[in-house]
Amino acid sequence: MILINLLPHREVARKKRQDAFNVSLAVSALLGGLISGVIFLWYQGQIDNQQSQNLMLENEIKLLDGQIKDIAGLESEIAALRARQQAVENLQADRNLPVHLLTELVNQLPDGVYINSMKQDNQAVQIQGVAQSSERVSELLRNLSSNTPWFSKPELVDIVAGNITLGARDQRRVANFRVRVQLVRSSEMLKSTQSPGAIPVATVPVKK
């Protein structure tokens, strides 16, 4: 017997292909969703891991900031203690400064130079006196500059010619001067090194 298929086979074949395409599309969508989910979970895990590391780093930074503040506070306290210690040492050293001042002035005062007054302000000393000539004042400056470690930076403030009466008919010309010099503390004097050569001081002209 010969069988004849009267059904529309082309429609059936097309339907089968459509069904196969729909199944493959669904499988692809499911597979793509699965892969996307796995990728999303992996990235989310990486993000969570990085966020936890960032949080740990922030906590460590806060801890270090606190330690830095503590160290800065300790350094300030140490600096204040050192400043107070230095102030106490300076006070102890300054107790003998008047003795060194008078002793060194006596030793460094040239002949023909006389002191009328002397004023000390911290380490600065201003000397006012009379000299037989401006050359004597220059010699005093040289002595204060190079012959003693207790004085530094001698400076001539001014020098003015004048007259002094020694008798009824005896008048002599003199040089009235003012000199400023820095008195060196004991601690500074021990640290400093004296220069090998004396610093020359030029002859000072007298104002008339």
Side-chain angles (χ1 to χ4, degrees), residues 46-94:
Q46 294 294 321
I47 292 173
D48 293 339
N49 186 27
Q50 187 63 44
Q51 287 179 346
S52 63
Q53 291 181 1
N54 292 342
L55 181 61
M56 182 183 64
L57 290 176
E58 289 177 359
N59 294 332
E60 292 294 333
I61 290 173
K62 291 179 180 179
L63 181 61
L64 290 176
D65 288 340
Q67 294 177 354
I68 289 173
K69 290 181 180 179
D70 294 338
I71 292 174
L74 291 175
E75 289 179 349
S76 300
E77 292 179 3
I78 292 173
L81 289 174
R82 287 178 178 174
R84 287 196 290 268
Q85 180 182 2
Q86 186 63 41
V88 172
E89 291 177 356
N90 291 337
L91 288 175
Q92 291 178 348
D94 291 347

Short mmCIF file of all heavy atoms in Angstrom, two decimals, residues 46-94:
data_model
loop_
_atom_site.label_atom_id
_atom_site.label_comp_id
_atom_site.label_asym_id
_atom_site.label_seq_id
_atom_site.Cartn_x
_atom_site.Cartn_y
_atom_site.Cartn_z
N GLN A 46 34.64 40.97 44.79
CA GLN A 46 35.83 41.80 44.73
C GLN A 46 35.58 43.18 45.35
O GLN A 46 36.42 43.72 46.08
CB GLN A 46 36.29 41.96 43.27
CG GLN A 46 36.78 40.67 42.63
CD GLN A 46 38.05 40.15 43.28
OE1 GLN A 46 38.93 40.91 43.64
NE2 GLN A 46 38.12 38.83 43.43
N ILE A 47 34.41 43.75 45.05
CA ILE A 47 34.07 45.07 45.62
C ILE A 47 33.96 44.99 47.14
O ILE A 47 34.47 45.86 47.87
CB ILE A 47 32.75 45.57 44.99
CG1 ILE A 47 32.96 45.89 43.51
CG2 ILE A 47 32.25 46.81 45.74
CD1 ILE A 47 31.69 46.24 42.77
N ASP A 48 33.28 43.94 47.61
CA ASP A 48 33.16 43.78 49.06
C ASP A 48 34.52 43.61 49.72
O ASP A 48 34.79 44.17 50.80
CB ASP A 48 32.26 42.58 49.38
CG ASP A 48 30.81 42.82 48.95
OD1 ASP A 48 30.45 44.00 48.79
OD2 ASP A 48 30.09 41.83 48.77
N ASN A 49 35.39 42.84 49.06
CA ASN A 49 36.74 42.63 49.59
C ASN A 49 37.51 43.94 49.63
O ASN A 49 38.18 44.26 50.62
CB ASN A 49 37.46 41.59 48.74
CG ASN A 49 38.82 41.22 49.33
OD1 ASN A 49 39.03 41.31 50.53
ND2 ASN A 49 39.74 40.82 48.47
N GLN A 50 37.41 44.73 48.53
CA GLN A 50 38.12 46.00 48.49
C GLN A 50 37.56 46.99 49.52
O GLN A 50 38.30 47.73 50.15
CB GLN A 50 38.02 46.60 47.08
CG GLN A 50 38.86 47.84 46.87
CD GLN A 50 40.34 47.55 47.02
OE1 GLN A 50 40.84 46.55 46.50
NE2 GLN A 50 41.05 48.42 47.73
N GLN A 51 36.24 46.98 49.68
CA GLN A 51 35.64 47.87 50.67
C GLN A 51 36.07 47.50 52.09
O GLN A 51 36.32 48.38 52.92
CB GLN A 51 34.10 47.81 50.55
CG GLN A 51 33.56 48.51 49.32
CD GLN A 51 32.05 48.41 49.21
OE1 GLN A 51 31.41 47.61 49.91
NE2 GLN A 51 31.46 49.20 48.31
N SER A 52 36.16 46.20 52.34
CA SER A 52 36.64 45.78 53.67
C SER A 52 38.09 46.19 53.88
O SER A 52 38.47 46.63 54.98
CB SER A 52 36.48 44.27 53.82
OG SER A 52 37.29 43.57 52.87
N GLN A 53 38.91 46.08 52.82
CA GLN A 53 40.30 46.53 52.93
C GLN A 53 40.38 48.05 53.13
O GLN A 53 41.19 48.54 53.93
CB GLN A 53 41.08 46.12 51.68
CG GLN A 53 41.30 44.62 51.55
CD GLN A 53 42.10 44.25 50.33
OE1 GLN A 53 42.51 45.12 49.56
NE2 GLN A 53 42.33 42.95 50.11
N ASN A 54 39.52 48.77 52.38
CA ASN A 54 39.50 50.23 52.56
C ASN A 54 39.08 50.61 53.97
O ASN A 54 39.64 51.54 54.57
CB ASN A 54 38.54 50.86 51.55
CG ASN A 54 39.03 50.74 50.12
OD1 ASN A 54 40.22 50.50 49.88
ND2 ASN A 54 38.14 50.90 49.16
N LEU A 55 38.10 49.90 54.50
CA LEU A 55 37.66 50.18 55.87
C LEU A 55 38.78 49.89 56.87
O LEU A 55 39.00 50.67 57.81
CB LEU A 55 36.43 49.34 56.18
CG LEU A 55 35.81 49.52 57.57
CD1 LEU A 55 35.36 50.96 57.76
CD2 LEU A 55 34.64 48.56 57.78
N MET A 56 39.50 48.78 56.63
CA MET A 56 40.62 48.46 57.51
C MET A 56 41.70 49.54 57.42
O MET A 56 42.27 49.96 58.44
CB MET A 56 41.18 47.09 57.15
CG MET A 56 42.33 46.63 58.04
SD MET A 56 43.03 45.06 57.53
CE MET A 56 43.70 45.50 55.92
N LEU A 57 41.97 50.00 56.18
CA LEU A 57 42.98 51.05 56.01
C LEU A 57 42.55 52.35 56.67
O LEU A 57 43.36 53.06 57.28
CB LEU A 57 43.24 51.27 54.52
CG LEU A 57 43.99 50.15 53.78
CD1 LEU A 57 44.08 50.47 52.29
CD2 LEU A 57 45.38 49.94 54.37
N GLU A 58 41.26 52.68 56.56
CA GLU A 58 40.77 53.89 57.21
C GLU A 58 40.92 53.80 58.72
O GLU A 58 41.30 54.78 59.38
CB GLU A 58 39.30 54.11 56.83
CG GLU A 58 39.09 54.53 55.38
CD GLU A 58 37.61 54.67 55.03
OE1 GLU A 58 36.77 54.40 55.93
OE2 GLU A 58 37.29 55.04 53.88
N ASN A 59 40.63 52.64 59.28
CA ASN A 59 40.80 52.46 60.72
C ASN A 59 42.27 52.58 61.12
O ASN A 59 42.61 53.20 62.14
CB ASN A 59 40.24 51.10 61.15
CG ASN A 59 38.73 51.01 60.98
OD1 ASN A 59 38.04 52.04 61.04
ND2 ASN A 59 38.22 49.82 60.76
N GLU A 60 43.15 51.99 60.30
CA GLU A 60 44.58 52.10 60.58
C GLU A 60 45.06 53.54 60.47
O GLU A 60 45.87 54.01 61.28
CB GLU A 60 45.37 51.21 59.62
CG GLU A 60 45.17 49.72 59.81
CD GLU A 60 45.72 49.22 61.13
OE1 GLU A 60 46.66 49.86 61.65
OE2 GLU A 60 45.20 48.22 61.65
N ILE A 61 44.52 54.26 59.46
CA ILE A 61 44.90 55.68 59.30
C ILE A 61 44.45 56.49 60.50
O ILE A 61 45.18 57.36 61.00
CB ILE A 61 44.32 56.22 57.98
CG1 ILE A 61 45.04 55.59 56.78
CG2 ILE A 61 44.44 57.73 57.92
CD1 ILE A 61 44.42 55.93 55.44
N LYS A 62 43.21 56.25 60.95
CA LYS A 62 42.73 56.95 62.14
C LYS A 62 43.60 56.65 63.35
O LYS A 62 43.93 57.54 64.14
CB LYS A 62 41.28 56.56 62.42
CG LYS A 62 40.29 57.08 61.39
CD LYS A 62 38.88 56.65 61.73
CE LYS A 62 37.88 57.16 60.69
NZ LYS A 62 36.49 56.72 60.98
N LEU A 63 44.00 55.38 63.47
CA LEU A 63 44.87 55.00 64.58
C LEU A 63 46.22 55.71 64.49
O LEU A 63 46.76 56.23 65.48
CB LEU A 63 45.05 53.49 64.60
CG LEU A 63 45.94 52.91 65.72
CD1 LEU A 63 45.34 53.24 67.08
CD2 LEU A 63 46.09 51.41 65.55
N LEU A 64 46.78 55.74 63.26
CA LEU A 64 48.06 56.41 63.06
C LEU A 64 47.95 57.91 63.29
O LEU A 64 48.86 58.54 63.83
CB LEU A 64 48.59 56.13 61.65
CG LEU A 64 49.05 54.69 61.38
CD1 LEU A 64 49.46 54.54 59.92
CD2 LEU A 64 50.21 54.33 62.30
N ASP A 65 46.80 58.50 62.86
CA ASP A 65 46.60 59.93 63.11
C ASP A 65 46.59 60.24 64.61
O ASP A 65 47.17 61.23 65.05
CB ASP A 65 45.28 60.39 62.48
CG ASP A 65 45.36 60.45 60.96
OD1 ASP A 65 46.49 60.52 60.44
OD2 ASP A 65 44.30 60.42 60.31
N GLY A 66 45.94 59.37 65.36
CA GLY A 66 45.96 59.55 66.81
C GLY A 66 47.36 59.43 67.38
O GLY A 66 47.76 60.22 68.26
N GLN A 67 48.12 58.46 66.89
CA GLN A 67 49.50 58.30 67.36
C GLN A 67 50.36 59.50 66.97
O GLN A 67 51.21 59.95 67.74
CB GLN A 67 50.10 57.01 66.80
CG GLN A 67 49.43 55.76 67.33
CD GLN A 67 50.00 54.49 66.71
OE1 GLN A 67 50.82 54.54 65.80
NE2 GLN A 67 49.55 53.34 67.20
N ILE A 68 50.12 60.02 65.74
CA ILE A 68 50.89 61.19 65.30
C ILE A 68 50.58 62.39 66.19
O ILE A 68 51.47 63.17 66.56
CB ILE A 68 50.58 61.49 63.82
CG1 ILE A 68 51.20 60.41 62.93
CG2 ILE A 68 51.10 62.86 63.42
CD1 ILE A 68 50.79 60.52 61.47
N LYS A 69 49.30 62.57 66.53
CA LYS A 69 48.93 63.67 67.43
C LYS A 69 49.60 63.50 68.79
O LYS A 69 50.08 64.47 69.38
CB LYS A 69 47.42 63.73 67.57
CG LYS A 69 46.70 64.19 66.31
CD LYS A 69 45.19 64.24 66.53
CE LYS A 69 44.47 64.72 65.26
NZ LYS A 69 43.00 64.75 65.44
N ASP A 70 49.62 62.25 69.27
CA ASP A 70 50.29 62.00 70.55
C ASP A 70 51.78 62.32 70.46
O ASP A 70 52.35 62.92 71.38
CB ASP A 70 50.09 60.55 70.98
CG ASP A 70 48.62 60.25 71.29
OD1 ASP A 70 47.87 61.20 71.56
OD2 ASP A 70 48.24 59.06 71.22
N ILE A 71 52.40 61.91 69.35
CA ILE A 71 53.83 62.18 69.18
C ILE A 71 54.09 63.68 69.07
O ILE A 71 55.04 64.20 69.65
CB ILE A 71 54.35 61.45 67.92
CG1 ILE A 71 54.33 59.93 68.14
CG2 ILE A 71 55.77 61.90 67.57
CD1 ILE A 71 54.67 59.13 66.90
N ALA A 72 53.20 64.39 68.32
CA ALA A 72 53.36 65.84 68.22
C ALA A 72 53.22 66.50 69.58
O ALA A 72 53.96 67.43 69.93
CB ALA A 72 52.33 66.40 67.24
N GLY A 73 52.27 66.01 70.38
CA GLY A 73 52.13 66.55 71.73
C GLY A 73 53.37 66.28 72.58
O GLY A 73 53.82 67.15 73.33
N LEU A 74 53.92 65.07 72.45
CA LEU A 74 55.14 64.75 73.20
C LEU A 74 56.31 65.61 72.74
O LEU A 74 57.12 66.07 73.57
CB LEU A 74 55.48 63.26 73.02
CG LEU A 74 54.53 62.26 73.70
CD1 LEU A 74 54.92 60.84 73.34
CD2 LEU A 74 54.56 62.46 75.22
N GLU A 75 56.41 65.83 71.41
CA GLU A 75 57.49 66.67 70.92
C GLU A 75 57.35 68.11 71.43
O GLU A 75 58.35 68.75 71.78
CB GLU A 75 57.50 66.66 69.39
CG GLU A 75 57.95 65.33 68.79
CD GLU A 75 57.91 65.35 67.27
OE1 GLU A 75 57.34 66.31 66.71
OE2 GLU A 75 58.45 64.40 66.65
N SER A 76 56.12 68.60 71.51
CA SER A 76 55.91 69.96 72.05
C SER A 76 56.31 70.01 73.52
O SER A 76 56.96 70.97 73.97
CB SER A 76 54.45 70.36 71.87
OG SER A 76 54.09 70.37 70.51
N GLU A 77 55.93 68.97 74.25
CA GLU A 77 56.31 68.93 75.67
C GLU A 77 57.82 68.85 75.84
O GLU A 77 58.41 69.50 76.71
CB GLU A 77 55.63 67.74 76.35
CG GLU A 77 54.11 67.88 76.45
CD GLU A 77 53.48 66.67 77.11
OE1 GLU A 77 54.24 65.76 77.53
OE2 GLU A 77 52.24 66.63 77.22
N ILE A 78 58.46 68.03 74.98
CA ILE A 78 59.92 67.91 75.06
C ILE A 78 60.59 69.24 74.73
O ILE A 78 61.55 69.67 75.39
CB ILE A 78 60.41 66.80 74.11
CG1 ILE A 78 59.96 65.43 74.62
CG2 ILE A 78 61.93 66.83 73.97
CD1 ILE A 78 60.25 64.29 73.67
N ALA A 79 60.06 69.93 73.67
CA ALA A 79 60.62 71.23 73.31
C ALA A 79 60.44 72.24 74.44
O ALA A 79 61.35 73.03 74.74
CB ALA A 79 59.96 71.74 72.03
N ALA A 80 59.27 72.21 75.09
CA ALA A 80 59.04 73.13 76.21
C ALA A 80 59.98 72.81 77.38
O ALA A 80 60.53 73.72 78.01
CB ALA A 80 57.58 73.05 76.66
N LEU A 81 60.17 71.52 77.64
CA LEU A 81 61.09 71.13 78.72
C LEU A 81 62.52 71.55 78.41
O LEU A 81 63.26 72.03 79.29
CB LEU A 81 61.03 69.61 78.95
CG LEU A 81 59.74 69.08 79.60
CD1 LEU A 81 59.76 67.56 79.63
CD2 LEU A 81 59.58 69.64 81.01
N ARG A 82 62.93 71.38 77.14
CA ARG A 82 64.27 71.80 76.76
C ARG A 82 64.43 73.31 76.86
O ARG A 82 65.49 73.81 77.29
CB ARG A 82 64.57 71.35 75.33
CG ARG A 82 64.79 69.85 75.21
CD ARG A 82 65.04 69.45 73.76
NE ARG A 82 65.31 68.01 73.64
CZ ARG A 82 65.45 67.38 72.49
NH1 ARG A 82 65.35 68.05 71.34
NH2 ARG A 82 65.70 66.08 72.46
N ALA A 83 63.37 74.05 76.50
CA ALA A 83 63.44 75.50 76.60
C ALA A 83 63.56 75.93 78.07
O ALA A 83 64.35 76.83 78.40
CB ALA A 83 62.20 76.13 75.97
N ARG A 84 62.79 75.27 78.93
CA ARG A 84 62.90 75.60 80.36
C ARG A 84 64.27 75.21 80.91
O ARG A 84 64.86 75.96 81.71
CB ARG A 84 61.78 74.89 81.13
CG ARG A 84 60.40 75.49 80.93
CD ARG A 84 59.44 75.02 81.99
NE ARG A 84 59.10 73.63 81.83
CZ ARG A 84 58.06 73.18 81.13
NH1 ARG A 84 57.28 74.04 80.51
NH2 ARG A 84 57.80 71.89 81.05
N GLN A 85 64.77 74.05 80.47
CA GLN A 85 66.10 73.64 80.91
C GLN A 85 67.16 74.64 80.46
O GLN A 85 68.05 75.01 81.23
CB GLN A 85 66.41 72.24 80.37
CG GLN A 85 67.79 71.74 80.78
CD GLN A 85 68.09 70.37 80.18
OE1 GLN A 85 67.29 69.82 79.42
NE2 GLN A 85 69.25 69.83 80.48
N GLN A 86 67.04 75.09 79.18
CA GLN A 86 67.99 76.07 78.68
C GLN A 86 67.89 77.39 79.43
O GLN A 86 68.90 78.04 79.71
CB GLN A 86 67.74 76.30 77.18
CG GLN A 86 68.78 77.19 76.51
CD GLN A 86 70.18 76.59 76.53
OE1 GLN A 86 70.33 75.39 76.32
NE2 GLN A 86 71.18 77.40 76.78
N ALA A 87 66.65 77.77 79.78
CA ALA A 87 66.47 79.02 80.53
C ALA A 87 67.11 78.91 81.91
O ALA A 87 67.77 79.85 82.38
CB ALA A 87 64.97 79.33 80.66
N VAL A 88 66.94 77.75 82.55
CA VAL A 88 67.56 77.56 83.87
C VAL A 88 69.08 77.58 83.76
O VAL A 88 69.78 78.21 84.57
CB VAL A 88 67.07 76.23 84.49
CG1 VAL A 88 67.86 75.92 85.76
CG2 VAL A 88 65.59 76.31 84.81
N GLU A 89 69.60 76.90 82.71
CA GLU A 89 71.06 76.90 82.52
C GLU A 89 71.58 78.31 82.24
O GLU A 89 72.64 78.70 82.73
CB GLU A 89 71.42 75.97 81.36
CG GLU A 89 71.19 74.49 81.68
CD GLU A 89 71.49 73.61 80.49
OE1 GLU A 89 71.80 74.17 79.40
OE2 GLU A 89 71.43 72.37 80.62
N ASN A 90 70.82 79.08 81.45
CA ASN A 90 71.24 80.46 81.17
C ASN A 90 71.23 81.31 82.44
O ASN A 90 72.12 82.14 82.65
CB ASN A 90 70.33 81.08 80.11
CG ASN A 90 70.54 80.45 78.74
OD1 ASN A 90 71.59 79.87 78.46
ND2 ASN A 90 69.55 80.56 77.88
N LEU A 91 70.20 81.10 83.27
CA LEU A 91 70.15 81.85 84.53
C LEU A 91 71.34 81.50 85.43
O LEU A 91 71.94 82.38 86.05
CB LEU A 91 68.84 81.58 85.25
CG LEU A 91 67.57 82.20 84.63
CD1 LEU A 91 66.33 81.75 85.38
CD2 LEU A 91 67.68 83.72 84.65
N GLN A 92 71.64 80.21 85.48
CA GLN A 92 72.79 79.81 86.30
C GLN A 92 74.09 80.38 85.74
O GLN A 92 74.97 80.82 86.49
CB GLN A 92 72.87 78.28 86.36
CG GLN A 92 71.73 77.64 87.15
CD GLN A 92 71.81 76.13 87.15
OE1 GLN A 92 72.58 75.53 86.40
NE2 GLN A 92 71.01 75.48 87.99
N ALA A 93 74.19 80.37 84.40
CA ALA A 93 75.41 80.91 83.80
C ALA A 93 75.49 82.42 83.94
O ALA A 93 76.57 82.99 84.09
CB ALA A 93 75.49 80.51 82.33
N ASP A 94 74.32 83.09 83.88
CA ASP A 94 74.31 84.55 83.94
C ASP A 94 74.61 85.08 85.33
O ASP A 94 74.84 86.29 85.48
CB ASP A 94 72.94 85.08 83.47
CG ASP A 94 72.73 84.86 81.99
OD1 ASP A 94 73.72 84.53 81.30
OD2 ASP A 94 71.58 85.00 81.52
#
